[in-house]
Amino acid sequence: MHDIRAIRADPAAFDAALARRNVPPMAEAIVAFDAERRQALGALQEMQARRNALAREIGQGRKQGADTAALEAEGTALRQEMEALEGIAARAEADSRARLESLPNILDPDVPDGADESANVVLKTWGEPPRQNFPARQHFELGEALGLMDFAAAAKLAGARFTVLRGALARMERALGQFMIDLHTTEHGFEEMAVPSLVNDAAVYGTGQLPKFAEDLFRTTDGRWLIPTAEVPLTNLAAGEITPEWRLPVRLGALTDCFRSEAGSAGRDTRGMLRQHQFRKVEMVVIAHPDQSDAEHERMTRCAETVLERLELPYRRVVLCAGDTGFGAAKTYDLEVWLPGQAAWREISSCSNMRDFQARRMNARSRATDGKTLGFVHTLNGSGVAVGRALIAVMENHQQPDGTIRVPEVLRPYMGGNRAIGAVAAS
């Protein structure tokens, strides 16, 4: 959500900022609706004062036995005028809010211009793609050959974009999630949280999924929403709260199932488990003072990079351009991991600074130690990382010529000491 006062102060600058996202000018209409609302509210205040005065005059007149019919008629007419003005103010407020809700966040000045992902900028690369002297196979080829990845069984149970994992691969998926949340809580200072997978309208609105992205979510028959990421419940823990300044930054982490409808992804990544309706992810969320959010963004991204380094996975850090940055983000770093089976870099983590965009929607504020309210906090979120995609990356980068998969050293304590995953024994 945007600050209407800032838009009133410099509408041209607001339109210029959103033009980087290819959004047409909106400031004039927003300011006009806001002016109509404020004018109606001002008139209402004057009428309310007159109505209060009339009530006193009528009361005094009745005590004195005077004829108050004219005063009462004026009061009735005034009440009708006030109801009409309240309707005007409410409509103007709704129109202004609807436009504000539909507009993406203002980008940071250092976000590169560009229309799509082709304009994203690679900032660093870590590791080398494995030099495999055999044809690299994709994860689904490896998993099916091992007898540990069953897409037919998943389709029977739930349809497309689901996967059933068996045996050692199921254990490795669990191991990855445990390793990540352990790393972030024991070394990176995040507090582990267990949060609901079902949330209400207010929570999904607060983080920016509603109303614009409802089709990307799954909704239950009683009106709740399945979380697309733990960002939603974790960030909303600050909703309506005033957090003492001394507590900031608040760093929260959770390993949860996530659910996405993948609307608009028809035909993309239909084979394998790269793009699923249900997947697990470790999410990092930070509630920060505005002066801290830049440093927290760098820190959060580095935490996600550490996961990939410990798993011995080549990756690169990319800053997203204006046309590829998400709706609520002011700046986003993507971490892309190398997948030998695809011979391509694929996103495995996205870390974003939302600044006060979400905080305004959910009324999340901070108070200084002297008792003065500072204003809105900044919120940040990042994948630390997507478990399913990490499993894919481990399988493809650590595949062996005989079709087995080497277990990265950091995962072996979670895998009973096993150093490799082999084919399941035939029954």
Side-chain angles (χ1 to χ4, degrees):
M1 188 68 75
H2 297 281
D3 183 358
I4 186 63
R5 292 172 299 179
I7 301 173
R8 287 199 306 262
D10 196 344
F14 181 76
D15 281 340
L18 286 182
R20 298 187 64 202
R21 290 184 180 264
N22 201 32
V23 175
M26 289 279 189
E28 183 178 353
I30 292 170
V31 170
F33 282 123
D34 181 62
E36 185 179 5
R37 177 189 65 85
R38 290 193 297 149
Q39 183 178 12
L41 290 177
L44 276 170
Q45 288 180 340
E46 294 178 3
M47 290 182 179
Q48 184 63 54
R50 176 56 183 157
R51 187 178 179 184
N52 292 340
L54 278 173
R56 289 192 295 271
E57 291 177 37
I58 292 170
Q60 291 172 356
R62 287 175 176 172
K63 286 181 181 179
Q64 297 170 359
D67 183 2
T68 61
L71 293 175
E72 290 174 13
E74 182 183 351
T76 299
L78 193 60
R79 183 170 61 253
Q80 292 172 345
E81 288 183 56
M82 289 179 67
E83 289 175 354
L85 275 175
E86 286 170 352
I88 291 172
R91 286 192 296 274
E93 166 97 19
D95 287 336
S96 177
R97 190 173 188 85
R99 280 167 170 76
L100 289 172
E101 288 173 343
S102 70
L103 295 176
N105 201 355
I106 299 295
L107 297 169
D108 281 2
D110 61 345
V111 171
D113 289 326
D116 54 40
E117 62 183 14
S118 64
N120 295 342
V121 177
V122 177
L123 300 178
K124 65 176 281 190
T125 301
W126 184 91
E128 295 288 338
R131 297 179 179 177
Q132 297 162 324
N133 57 2
F134 56 91
R137 289 192 280 181
Q138 296 197 54
H139 68 281
F140 51 83
E141 297 170 315
L142 291 162
E144 288 178 327
L146 291 170
L148 301 175
M149 190 175 283
D150 195 335
F151 297 101
K156 179 178 70 174
L157 297 173
R161 296 195 187 277
F162 292 92
T163 308
V164 168
L165 300 177
R166 301 178 185 275
L169 273 188
R171 184 172 187 176
M172 178 176 276
E173 186 200 39
R174 174 164 55 89
L176 283 163
Q178 288 182 272
F179 155 66
M180 293 173 196
I181 196 68
D182 285 351
L183 174 65
H184 294 315
T185 55
T186 61
E187 296 188 31
H188 295 158
F190 287 83
E191 180 182 6
E192 183 172 1
M193 308 292 289
V195 291
S197 293
L198 290 168
V199 294
N200 58 26
D201 287 353
V204 189
Y205 173 83
T207 45
Q209 284 80 18
L210 289 183
K212 190 175 180 64
F213 301 105
E215 67 173 6
D216 295 327
L217 308 176
F218 287 112
R219 194 175 194 184
T220 62
T221 55
D222 65 356
R224 295 185 180 90
W225 302 87
L226 290 167
I227 60 171
T229 164
E231 169 201 348
V232 177
L234 289 176
T235 308
N236 273 279
L237 290 172
E241 301 292 330
I242 299 178
T243 305
E245 183 182 13
W246 61 265
R247 287 197 59 207
L248 301 175
V250 176
R251 302 184 182 114
L252 307 173
L255 168 62
T256 67
D257 284 332
C258 305
F259 306 88
R260 295 184 185 173
S261 70
E262 293 297 339
S265 297
R268 297 175 57 193
D269 302 313
T270 54
R271 293 205 64 187
M273 56 181 293
L274 195 65
R275 195 179 296 275
Q276 300 272 275
H277 288 312
Q278 176 182 345
F279 57 95
R280 291 189 178 93
K281 183 157 70 84
V282 173
E283 187 73 9
M284 302 175 290
V285 161
V286 176
I287 312 299
H289 186 280
D291 293 343
Q292 302 167 331
S293 66
D294 285 331
E296 287 297 316
H297 192 200
E298 298 295 329
R299 183 185 188 278
M300 171 183 286
T301 307
R302 182 66 197 134
C303 291
E305 289 176 343
T306 302
V307 171
L308 303 180
E309 291 171 12
R310 299 278 179 92
L311 293 172
E312 307 164 52
L313 298 174
Y315 71 87
R316 64 185 190 181
R317 184 196 288 203
V318 176
V319 60
L320 300 191
C321 72
D324 201 31
T325 301
F327 176 80
K331 182 178 181 179
T332 298
Y333 294 128
D334 269 8
L335 301 183
E336 298 177 344
V337 68
W338 177 254
L339 296 184
Q342 292 190 15
W345 297 97
R346 298 302 299 262
E347 183 242 316
I348 194 170
S349 173
S350 191
C351 298
S352 298
N353 189 347
M354 319 300 271
R355 304 232 176 253
D356 64 0
F357 187 80
Q358 292 178 328
R360 287 181 179 279
R361 298 173 76 98
M362 61 179 66
N363 193 27
R365 298 175 179 267
S366 175
R367 191 190 304 276
T369 53
D370 62 4
K372 179 182 178 182
T373 298
L374 290 179
F376 295 104
V377 297
H378 281 192
T379 62
L380 303 95
N381 61 79
S383 309
V385 298
V387 175
R389 293 197 173 197
L391 178 65
I392 291 169
V394 168
M395 292 174 68
E396 294 195 13
N397 281 277
H398 298 303
Q399 61 181 296
Q400 304 299 303
D402 62 357
T404 61
I405 300 165
R406 184 177 73 85
V407 177
E409 186 173 349
V410 74
L411 289 185
R412 291 173 191 171
Y414 298 92
M415 296 285 292
N418 291 329
R419 302 172 67 88
I421 292 176
V424 64
S427 56

